[in-house]
Amino acid sequence: MILKRVRNILCLAVVLFQTIAMNSQSSVGKLTSYVNPFIGTGAVDKSLSGNNFPGAVVPFGMIQLSPDTRHAPDWAQASGYDYNDKVIVGFSHTHLSGTGVAEFFDVLLMPTTQNLGTGDKNYLSTDHLYESEFSHKQESASPGYYQVDLLKDNIKAELTATERAGFHRYAFPLGAQANVIIDLDHSLNKGSWSTRIINSQIRQIDEYTLLGYRLITGWAKLRKVYFYIRFSKPIKGNDTFDGNRLYTDNKIVNGSGLRSVFNFGQQDSVPLLAKVGLSGVSIENARQNLDAEIKDWDFDYVVQQAGEKWEKELQKIQVEATELQKEIFYTALYHTHIQPNIVSDVNGDYTAIDYTKAHVSDGQRAQYSTFSLWDTYRAAHPLYTILQPEGTADFVNSMLGQYKVYGYLPIWQLWGQENYCMIGNHAIPVIVDAVLKGVPGINAEAAYKAVKESSLISHPNSLFDVWEKYGYMPENIQTQSVSISLEIAYDDWCVAQLAKRLGKNDDYKHFMKRALFYKNLYNQETSFFQSKDDKGNWLTPFDPFKYGSNGGYPFTEGNAWQYFWYVPHDMSTLVEMVGGDKAFVKKLDDFFTLGHDENSGELNDNASGFIGQYAHGNEPSHHVSYLYNYAGEPAKTQFYVNKILTELYDTTSAGYAGNDDCGEMSAWYVFSALGFYPVNPANGVYVIGSPLVTKAVIDVGRDKTFIIYTPRKSEDQIYIQSVKLNGKPYQNTFIRHSDIVNGGTLDFVMGNKPSKWGAEPKNRPVDF
């Protein structure tokens, strides 16, 4: 026993040392010291890692200043950085966090000491000549800060950021030639999404200042990115390539493949600094953004300010837990606050979806984009309603801004443009949830008009004329038919609830009828949801284990087993359809224990983090561990929630079981570690699981807190024995949003064996 305790203490010491070492810029005692930006940045053993990046960003900022380890990042390096890579090609200012598709990588800077010489045509026309080896031993990151030693030229590069500007500090070897490369051609793989640079410009207006733009099309169509760069030292000369054409000491170059190198002479004892402002509207707005947010040359002050912004957000949930659990928890909370992103400038301008200049609405603090809604509506947005009510109003009003111009709400919006990625209309549950929870700053009637119209006007993957005609999506008319039918049925339920709240009874009845269309694809003989054609025939052969991807099959990024459980608005009916409690529990047991038939169809790349058929690496499975509560077996929910928390998250570069998807994987951990999860993301009800942290204090605003106590004597005490809500015995296997935001206490007594707590039918989760 003594040896075991010593070993445990040593393990904790190692974890704590690694955390401090990897977050060397954070102050001891601050919650930012627990954030490890390298979690989820690189896969091991054929896993999925998270697809996160380690660079400098502030909460929800336009800028994500981070290293890129590939010249042409693609699907497997969607954030631009792979922990397993050996070289850095530069530092670009925009990145996606945890997505399965690459995009952004705007305005790449890279310091080098290589003596180019006038007219050296090979240097910038060949990618690999200006990349540099690096080592993780000489790399560190903390919220708002990143540092690495570029080993090829012995340069120390440091990065920090504000909302709309990036700040670089480069320490070159004393006496070495100091150069900075600016690459406007750097992007995701040009072979993906027909990506190309349509036009770009780089202009030197004085010896310290560069400005320009690029117009790029790819996953997001026709993105305009304007930049304004100031250096702390004068530029001595420049070479610019447009493809293979060289321009020497030109003050302006236009083209579609621009790479420039700017010479700053021999390095003295003072590092070179570069401040970069971005805008999606104009060069002048980029200048205003830079001048407003980085007023002088104090790099360390900007680092400090970025850290304080992160500390403020992390302090909204204070937990007591093991050091390991804190590192995972606060890194997850950090990842939930990277996107959505601000796209409006300091003056309120932004580029609307129709490419015109728009301005933020009255009462709106900023316009936001990067809405990965198929992922984030499930847990990230419900988390924001607790921690970010003002942000939630801004997110919703930003989505309503698209509706006003585009005619329907976002599906997957990126840099203000719609890319139609994924299925469903999941801005609807985000908006409905916010309105029903009473988030201030949202016009309920305007919101209802948007969600209703977005549920009636057919658009890609949402053929509502077909939906209304058949009562399901026929696979021969609309591929991914089962997944789309199930998800649209849920969206329709959300529209119905807002209609009911606003007294629109005819609309309520219409959308509630549509919300039950999911039943039309349930095959009683197989006990699965299956596809039909437009004649009403079941499509055969049917294999519940076979995976679909993103088209050409009835299921989206999953199989029939994983999508069987997607009726979050009508779980009690689903239990009855299967045959009652025992049959439902048996099917859940099978789901969590059945193996994989490798010959039963190709696994989708998003299929990972398996417990039986449960695949935590992708969102369709995320709510399923909580469903035992709906059939009187809450102890089994507690078992599997704990298993996922403790086995499918860790502190390595492969710390996530799948793509983090703009913080959704992280939001699952935050909610579940606290002890509950929004199975139905729009009904204001959280289903109780198995809390992991010992204590949590949630700042819910208005000088109120919601405190969760979960004392335990050993780690195997994962089963709830009893619960008290505000000091009174509590048997329900759910709590309401109002219980949290009104403040109070939730006390758990835990044990190492299942109990009967919450098993009575009257204690099951409710719709509202």
Side-chain angles (χ1 to χ4, degrees):
M1 179 64 73
I2 293 175
L3 288 175
K4 183 177 180 181
R5 288 179 180 175
V6 171
R7 186 167 63 249
N8 289 341
I9 292 170
L10 288 174
C11 288
L12 278 176
V14 169
V15 169
L16 181 58
F17 174 78
Q18 290 176 336
T19 301
I20 293 173
M22 297 180 84
N23 297 281
S24 59
Q25 295 296 315
S26 298
S27 299
V28 175
K30 290 186 176 181
L31 297 182
T32 48
S33 68
Y34 289 105
V35 175
N36 179 353
F38 294 101
I39 292 177
T41 58
V44 295
D45 298 329
K46 299 181 179 180
S47 68
L48 292 176
S49 69
N51 255 342
N52 300 110
F53 63 82
V57 62
V58 297
F60 306 119
M62 178 189 294
I63 300 294
Q64 308 86 36
L65 180 51
S66 189
D68 293 336
T69 60
R70 302 288 177 98
H71 288 281
D74 211 335
W75 303 81
Q77 309 84 33
S79 75
Y81 179 95
D82 189 327
Y83 194 85
N84 301 295
D85 287 341
K86 305 301 182 184
V87 299
I88 286 174
V89 304
F91 309 104
S92 60
H93 289 76
T94 56
H95 294 83
L96 290 172
S97 180
T99 59
V101 179
E103 182 59 291
F104 287 176
F105 316 117
D106 295 305
V107 191
L108 180 140
L109 273 62
M110 181 63 170
T112 178
T113 65
Q114 302 299 307
N115 190 354
L116 307 185
T118 301
D120 185 348
K121 293 187 176 182
N122 291 324
Y123 193 81
L124 289 180
S125 62
T126 305
D127 283 339
H128 301 288
L129 288 177
Y130 70 84
E131 66 189 23
S132 175
E133 297 82 9
F134 75 108
S135 168
H136 296 304
K137 295 179 180 179
Q138 295 161 288
E139 180 187 38
S140 64
S142 62
Y145 175 81
Y146 173 85
Q147 175 273 323
V148 68
D149 288 351
L150 300 173
L151 302 179
K152 180 178 181 180
D153 295 335
N154 193 25
I155 300 169
K156 180 178 181 179
E158 298 175 275
L159 313 173
T160 189
T162 63
E163 281 77 8
R164 301 170 180 86
F167 207 172
H168 305 241
R169 181 162 67 185
Y170 302 142
F172 295 86
L174 191 64
Q177 177 72 42
N179 300 316
V180 175
I181 293 164
I182 299 178
D183 189 344
L184 299 185
D185 189 52
H186 179 67
S187 71
L188 74 153
N189 190 331
K190 299 296 195 298
S192 293
W193 305 98
S194 302
T195 298
R196 63 189 178 96
I197 311 299
I198 296 173
N199 195 20
S200 59
Q201 180 190 93
I202 188 162
R203 179 195 301 248
Q204 182 179 341
I205 61 171
D206 59 41
E207 59 183 345
Y208 295 95
T209 310
L210 304 174
L211 51 82
Y213 65 87
R214 77 169 179 176
L215 180 60
I216 181 173
T217 193
W219 192 26
K221 305 305 179 188
L222 297 178
R223 290 193 307 113
K224 297 185 292 182
V225 183
Y226 299 90
F227 63 89
Y228 195 96
I229 305 175
R230 284 200 187 97
F231 292 100
S232 61
K233 297 181 180 182
I235 299 168
K236 306 295 185 181
N238 74 77
D239 284 333
T240 297
F241 276 87
D242 180 18
N244 290 319
R245 182 180 293 275
L246 173 65
Y247 301 89
T248 297
D249 289 334
N250 272 33
K251 298 302 182 184
I252 182 170
V253 179
N254 296 288
S256 58
L258 298 185
R259 289 173 173 170
S260 299
V261 59
F262 291 88
N263 171 13
F264 294 88
Q266 288 189 327
Q267 174 68 32
D268 56 22
S269 60
V270 180
L272 175 66
L273 301 175
K275 301 188 291 188
V276 182
L278 293 191
S279 167
V281 175
S282 68
I283 292 172
E284 172 59 19
N285 279 18
R287 183 194 66 78
Q288 291 182 24
N289 290 342
L290 180 58
D291 289 346
E293 295 185 355
I294 308 180
K295 298 181 183 300
D296 53 35
W297 293 100
D298 192 340
F299 181 90
D300 293 325
Y301 175 74
V302 177
V303 172
Q304 176 189 335
Q305 291 294 103
E308 289 177 0
K309 291 173 183 176
W310 278 113
E311 186 68 22
K312 178 182 177 182
E313 299 307 326
L314 299 178
Q315 285 284 347
K316 291 180 179 178
I317 307 181
Q318 300 180 40
V319 301
E320 294 179 8
T322 69
E323 297 298 295
L324 180 69
Q325 290 165 354
K326 284 183 181 180
E327 184 176 348
I328 298 173
F329 183 90
Y330 283 111
T331 303
L333 188 57
Y334 165 81
H335 280 144
T336 65
H337 283 62
I338 290 177
Q339 283 157 341
N341 302 132
I342 293 170
V343 291
S344 56
D345 298 321
V346 292
N347 64 7
D349 291 344
Y350 67 95
T351 297
I353 195 170
D354 62 353
Y355 302 103
T356 61
K357 185 173 76 172
H359 198 80
V360 295
S361 303
D362 291 341
Q364 186 177 343
R365 299 176 305 168
Q367 182 76 9
Y368 288 83
S369 188
T370 315
F371 292 118
S372 181
L373 289 163
W374 185 81
D375 310 290
T376 55
Y377 86 95
R378 303 169 195 262
H381 280 284
L383 184 64
Y384 301 146
T385 65
I386 299 172
L387 302 180
Q388 302 286 339
E390 286 185 328
T392 294
D394 287 339
F395 301 157
V396 167
N397 287 320
S398 296
M399 295 177 199
L400 295 179
Q402 171 170 321
Y403 162 74
K404 292 175 184 177
V405 176
Y406 208 57
Y408 46 84
L409 292 164
I411 309 301
W412 212 122
Q413 194 200 82
L414 187 61
W415 200 258
Q417 295 302 312
E418 182 60 67
N419 64 29
Y420 293 106
C421 190
M422 306 309 299
I423 60 173
N425 289 258
H426 299 318
I428 291 172
V430 172
I431 293 171
V432 170
D433 183 45
V435 174
L436 293 182
K437 286 175 177 174
V439 172
I442 303 171
N443 183 310
E445 288 290 344
Y448 179 71
K449 185 174 187 292
V451 300
K452 178 183 176 180
E453 290 297 319
S454 298
S455 302
L456 296 174
I457 299 172
S458 293
H459 49 275
N461 290 333
S462 298
L463 304 180
F464 292 116
D465 53 340
V466 174
W467 183 238
E468 297 267 11
K469 178 178 179 179
Y470 294 99
Y472 61 92
M473 292 293 185
E475 179 68 18
N476 60 321
I477 296 176
Q478 173 62 66
T479 187
Q480 305 177 78
S481 60
V482 178
S483 295
I484 290 175
S485 294
L486 293 169
E487 294 192 21
I488 287 180
Y490 173 66
D491 293 336
D492 284 345
W493 180 88
C494 293
V495 180
Q497 304 317 304
L498 187 51
K500 183 178 182 180
R501 173 68 63 89
L502 297 177
K504 303 178 187 299
N505 293 328
D506 289 343
D507 284 354
Y508 169 73
K509 293 176 183 177
H510 178 75
F511 284 104
M512 277 302 292
K513 178 182 177 181
R514 286 185 14 172
L516 300 180
F517 281 175
Y518 76 89
K519 296 180 180 181
N520 295 332
L521 291 184
Y522 182 70
N523 188 336
Q524 195 74 40
E525 292 184 7
T526 63
S527 190
F528 282 101
F529 294 104
Q530 293 179 221
S531 57
K532 291 180 178 178
D533 62 19
D534 59 347
K535 307 300 183 187
N537 302 311
W538 298 112
L539 298 188
T540 57
F542 171 67
D543 180 355
F545 294 93
K546 185 176 181 179
Y547 277 75
S549 182
N550 299 95
Y553 193 69
F555 298 93
T556 302
E557 294 188 6
N559 63 18
W561 266 110
Q562 287 146 15
Y563 260 97
F564 172 78
W565 316 99
Y566 194 78
V567 191
H569 58 294
D570 200 14
M571 289 306 306
S572 59
T573 300
L574 185 64
V575 173
E576 294 174 1
M577 289 168 63
V578 174
D581 292 348
K582 290 184 179 180
F584 189 79
V585 168
K586 173 63 166 58
K587 196 173 184 76
L588 276 170
D589 289 344
D590 290 344
F591 179 67
F592 281 104
T593 56
L594 283 172
H596 305 282
D597 181 355
E598 297 296 338
N599 297 317
S600 185
E602 182 181 356
L603 287 177
N604 182 267
D605 288 341
N606 291 285
S608 58
F610 284 108
I611 303 174
Q613 286 298 308
Y614 179 89
H616 193 66
N618 209 16
E619 281 70 19
S621 290
H622 275 191
H623 66 297
V624 183
S625 58
Y626 286 87
L627 299 187
Y628 284 104
N629 285 346
Y630 291 83
E633 293 280 0
K636 290 188 175 182
T637 278
Q638 294 153 33
F639 172 82
Y640 282 113
V641 167
N642 179 267
K643 185 177 181 68
I644 298 164
L645 283 166
T646 57
E647 295 182 9
L648 296 180
Y649 292 84
D650 61 46
T651 60
T652 71
S653 65
Y656 292 92
N659 295 329
D660 191 26
D661 289 318
C662 294
E664 178 58 27
M665 191 79 70
S666 293
W668 189 97
Y669 187 93
V670 171
F671 265 125
S672 296
L674 295 175
F676 42 84
Y677 182 82
V679 168
N680 179 335
N683 70 347
V685 173
Y686 305 94
V687 180
I688 292 174
S690 177
L692 186 67
V693 300
T694 302
K695 180 183 177 181
V697 180
I698 306 173
D699 181 354
V700 295
R702 298 168 295 135
D703 296 322
K704 293 182 179 182
T705 58
F706 187 71
I707 305 174
I708 303 163
Y709 297 98
T710 315
R712 50 170 57 85
K713 295 180 180 179
S714 61
E715 292 183 357
D716 65 347
Q717 290 189 326
I718 65 173
Y719 296 105
I720 297 171
Q721 307 299 301
S722 64
V723 179
K724 287 184 178 180
L725 179 61
N726 298 326
K728 297 180 179 179
Y730 191 77
Q731 292 291 324
N732 291 334
T733 57
F734 64 92
I735 59 172
R736 301 178 187 274
H737 182 75
S738 57
D739 295 326
I740 298 173
V741 297
N742 288 334
T745 58
L746 186 65
D747 293 87
F748 291 95
V749 175
M750 308 298 290
N752 57 12
K753 294 182 180 180
S755 75
K756 294 296 184 181
W757 174 84
E760 294 295 323
K762 64 181 179 180
N763 303 131
R764 296 176 186 180
V766 296
D767 283 340
F768 282 103

